[in-house]
Amino acid sequence: MPADKASGKALWGRAGLSARGAVFIGMFEACRGGAAEAFLSR
């Protein structure tokens, strides 16, 4: 899949994100979720 091909899913209220944008949002959400889990498990 080319890096600049737009995806059809709407992430963060935006449709037509590039694959790079979708990867960034996925990594951000994973990091945020891990931090919240670590913070709340104490």
Side-chain angles (χ1 to χ4, degrees):
M1 173 185 233
D4 59 350
K5 183 177 179 185
S7 65
K9 290 186 174 180
L11 296 171
W12 281 7
R14 295 182 60 190
L17 283 176
S18 67
R20 289 180 187 169
V23 168
F24 171 78
I25 291 173
M27 294 296 288
F28 179 84
E29 290 294 333
C31 181
R32 186 176 68 94
E37 184 178 329
F39 178 73
L40 295 174
S41 67
R42 291 185 174 214

